[in-house]
Amino acid sequence: MNDSKKLKLGKLPDKELSKILERYTNSKSERVLLGPKLGEDAAIIDMCSRKNNCLAVCVDPIMVNISNAPYFAVAINVNDIVTRGAIPKWASSSVFFPEDSTLDDVDKFFGQLYDAIQPHCISIVTGHTEVTSLVKNPGIVLTMLGEVDRDKIITTAGAKIGDSLVLTGGAGIEGTAILAADMYESLKGKVDESTIERAKQFLYNPGICVAQVAYIAWRHSPNSLHDPTEGGVRKGIEELAMASGNGVYIDYSKIPIREETQKICAVTGDDPLGIFGSGALLISIDSDKVEDLLRDYRNAGIVAHEIGRVTSKDKGRILLYQGKEIPLQASYTDGLINRLNS
C-alpha cells in the first residue's frame, strides 16, 4: 500500500479498513467462527466444549477527554457482546493516566470502572495500568468476553432480504449527552435549561447500554443485531447493509428522535442521525415477528419503531425523506470527534 494521505480523526474509511483486514488479519483457525469484519461488533470463537458454547470477544477504547470514561467503556463493550447473542462475563482493562496524576485520580477511575461492571456481573480478570506522557487525560482500553451457545450466535451480517428493521432508544442519544455537556455555554439561552439538563442525563436515562433491550430482542430470534456508535444511526444502518451484502429502505419519519436531540442539534447544526449513536439498537427481524417484538418493548417502556426494511443490494441504500427517495449516505467520521479531541 502506497498512500501518504493523512487520515481524519475517528474511524478508518470503510474501503481502506476492509483492505487492511483482508491483508493482515489471521483467522485461519477453524475455531474462529467470526473474525474481524467490517460492521461486526465482536468475534466468535468455538470453545469445543461438550456444552457447544462459544466465546464472544470485543475491544473498545475510550481515550478522549470525557467524564466517567469507564462507564462509557463498559457500556459500549457490553453492547458489542450482547449483539452477538452472548452474555458478558469477563473483561481486561488497560488504563493510562497522564503525568501529574495522583493516587486519588487512580482510585476514582477504578471506582468508576467497578461501579460500571457490577450491574452486569462482569469480572475484571487482568489488565495493565501506567502513567504516561503520551496521553493528555485518563484513558481505558477494555477487552470483554462473553459466552453464547453456537446455535444462538447473532451477527450483523445475518440481516436478510425482506426483514423489517427496528430501531430502539432513538437516534443520537450518546451524541446528545455529549453536546449538552460540552456545548452548554453555547446552548444557554437558545435551548431551555430543563431540556439541556435532561439531555446531560441521556448517558444514564434512557442510557447508552442496550443490554436489556437486546435480551428482549433475543426472545424473538432476530436475524441481526447492531449497535450504532461513531457516525450514528446513519453509519450503523450502512454497516448492517454492507456486512449483510444487502440494500435498505429507511423511512426518516419513522426514526425515533427525542425532543432534546432535535432541539440541541437545531442549534449546533449537527445531524441527529450522524452523531454518536450508543443507546440505540438496530434489529433486523422476520417481518411476521415485528408486532410481538414491538409489543414487548411497549410493555417494558422502551422506545422502539419499525423504520424500514432490508432490500436487495441492487436497490441500494435509500432514505425516504420529506416525500423524496434519496441515497442514505454516512460519513466515516463523526462530527463530534474533533470537538472531543480539541
Side-chain angles (χ1 to χ4, degrees), residues 174-191:
E174 180 184 6
T176 301
I178 293 171
L179 286 170
D182 287 12
M183 297 192 67
Y184 176 75
E185 293 300 324
S186 299
L187 292 170
K188 277 199 311 182
K190 299 175 183 176
V191 178

Side-chain angles (χ1 to χ4, degrees), residues 131-148:
V131 177
T132 174
S133 62
L134 298 179
V135 300
K136 297 180 292 184
N137 50 266
I140 179 170
V141 180
L142 195 68
T143 299
M144 193 168 288
L145 304 94
E147 281 187 308
V148 57

Side-chain angles (χ1 to χ4, degrees), residues 268-307:
T268 64
D270 289 285
D271 173 12
L273 271 59
I275 57 175
F276 281 102
S278 294
L281 182 64
L282 185 61
I283 305 165
S284 183
I285 188 170
D286 293 345
S287 58
D288 59 355
K289 299 177 180 178
V290 171
E291 287 306 316
D292 288 342
L293 174 65
L294 294 179
R295 183 176 61 249
D296 278 0
Y297 282 137
R298 285 194 299 271
N299 291 340
I302 294 170
V303 172
H305 294 178
E306 183 178 5
I307 64 168

